[in-house]
Amino acid sequence: MTPQRDTAGNVSDEAMDVTRSWFESWNRGDLDAFIELFADDGEMTPDPCWVEAGTFRGRPAIRAFFAGLKQSWDGQDVAVLHELFRAGDKVISRMDWEVRGRASGIETKLEVTNVNTIEGGKIVHQRHYFDHAEALRALGLGD
């Protein structure tokens, strides 16, 4: 499988546009629009080393997860898209999540690779990886 890369944001297709909208709505702080990008019965799986691991099923559970993140971070909370590409039926995005802890005030940058399965203009499954090479291996693209 050869990935189709779009680092400049030039390819227009529904799945790529949904992924771009994920970043845009998050960065605007529009949690309603952000959650609408997921299918009613969509699933989201954070990296296994995340504090709240496991798969979140359905919009209410996914919303609660992301709303919790917003509550944990104080003001600074930006998802910076660095790379967007397709691998078969998946859309992969590499990003830096720049955040500051509400209680600690500590600023950090999380490097995250998201793998999305999008059907009918909605995210039906999203998986987050803190290790980009691991994400590529899961897709059959690594060594």
Side-chain angles (χ1 to χ4, degrees):
M1 176 174 10
T2 304
Q4 301 169 349
R5 297 187 183 275
D6 172 29
T7 55
N10 295 325
V11 174
S12 179
D13 80 30
E14 185 176 55
M16 298 283 268
D17 291 344
V18 167
T19 302
R20 286 185 197 96
S21 292
W22 187 92
F23 285 90
E24 293 163 3
S25 59
W26 182 263
N27 288 337
R28 292 196 300 273
D30 188 345
L31 194 56
D32 291 334
F34 179 82
I35 294 303
E36 274 298 311
L37 295 169
F38 289 88
D40 290 337
D41 60 349
E43 297 181 343
M44 190 280 301
T45 307
D47 190 274
C49 71
W50 193 259
V51 175
E52 294 184 42
T55 298
F56 296 84
R57 290 179 176 83
R59 278 191 192 148
I62 295 168
R63 181 185 188 94
F65 175 85
F66 284 109
L69 293 182
K70 289 260 184 217
Q71 290 174 354
S72 299
W73 298 329
D74 183 30
Q76 180 182 343
D77 174 7
V78 178
V80 180
L81 177 62
H82 291 292
E83 184 177 25
L84 182 64
F85 62 96
R86 277 188 158 285
D89 67 341
K90 309 287 189 229
V91 176
I92 296 82
S93 55
R94 288 183 78 175
M95 65 181 234
D96 288 337
W97 217 328
E98 299 173 357
V99 299
R100 181 176 50 241
R102 178 177 305 280
S104 68
I106 296 172
E107 293 184 10
T108 192
K109 177 175 69 173
L110 304 169
E111 295 177 12
V112 182
T113 298
N114 298 326
V115 177
N116 290 316
T117 304
I118 299 169
E119 296 173 1
K122 299 290 183 182
I123 300 168
V124 295
H125 190 265
Q126 182 176 79
R127 171 83 193 257
H128 302 257
Y129 295 87
F130 288 143
D131 182 332
H132 183 66
E134 181 185 349
L136 294 181
R137 282 191 301 276
L139 293 165
L141 300 174
D143 2 333

